[in-house]
Amino acid sequence: DITPYVFAMFAIIGGFLEAFTFTLHGGVFCNAQTGNVVMLVIDFVNGDFSGGLRYLYSILAYIVGIILSTVIPARFKKVNWPLVVTATEIVALVGIAFIPVGASDWFTYVAVAFLCSVQYNTFTKLRGVALATTFCTNNIRQTVMHLVRGISDKDGAEYKKSAVYAFIVLCFAAGAAVGVVLAATVHLHVALCVVIALAVGIAVNVFCWAKHHCPHCGHPLGLFRRYAFKKCPFCGQPLD
């Protein structure tokens, strides 16, 4: 299972990237596409087809990301897909940080839209609770819904679910706030801050909290279970 720490980190990064692309790269929403669909329609109806295309490119990049993040894990079941996604984001964001100042915003918002769609479609559940790390609408809905149920039914489990959603919303908001502040000071190289956070996330994911155990000898295997090893390196038994 993916740990709460990793989910919190990706929620912070989600808010950060939304603020980063909107404030520094053309006012395009990259994490979710509702606003882009509306802006696309407005520009097209008003005859501004060149302006509408920037939103269309973001939408298409998002669709491609969803397709790939659905097909690849299904085809390659032994691949540690969350780790692949994290590493991909690191490489892409390093590239984004060093895009020349005079370059088109197209490169950034298309890349970020793709990354966010892959992230959204990969990190979907925390301890059985369906979550989004790239936008807040459903998380806010679930926060309020489970809180109301907890109050009406006096159910502690509902309170806990509400708290999980609220925590992720707060992480997203904190990431957006940091993104706005750093965008005004660090400017385009602000993407490197996300790279540092993702590198920490990989360390957490692989070496610390996300532990799997060999079903035969009980030895902790980290995230390597059924991804890197066909047999347990400690007892030699096959891992299914």
Side-chain angles (χ1 to χ4, degrees), residues 2 23 30 32 36 44 48 60 63-64 76 85 88 90 123 144 148-149 182 195 216:
I2 299 172
T23 57
C30 295
N36 288 337
F44 277 14
D48 184 8
L60 292 176
I63 291 171
V64 171
F76 304 97
V85 170
T88 301
I90 288 176
F123 300 94
V144 176
V148 171
R149 287 177 179 173
L182 291 182
V195 171
H216 305 287

Side-chain angles (χ1 to χ4, degrees), residues 123-179:
F123 300 94
T124 57
K125 285 188 177 181
L126 172 61
R127 295 176 178 174
V129 177
L131 288 167
T133 59
T134 58
F135 54 87
C136 289
T137 304
N138 185 59
N139 291 344
I140 293 173
R141 168 181 171 265
Q142 296 288 349
T143 298
V144 176
M145 185 176 68
H146 287 295
L147 177 61
V148 171
R149 287 177 179 173
I151 294 173
S152 61
D153 299 341
K154 297 181 180 180
D155 187 346
E158 293 292 335
Y159 286 126
K160 290 181 180 179
K161 288 182 179 180
S162 178
V164 170
Y165 283 109
F167 174 66
I168 296 300
V169 171
L170 290 174
C171 288
F172 186 93
V178 172

Side-chain angles (χ1 to χ4, degrees), residues 2 7 44 46 50 90 97 107 116 130 140 148 157 175 205 213:
I2 299 172
F7 259 91
F44 277 14
N46 290 332
S50 61
I90 288 176
F107 297 102
C116 285
I140 293 173
V148 171
N205 227 340
H213 294 78

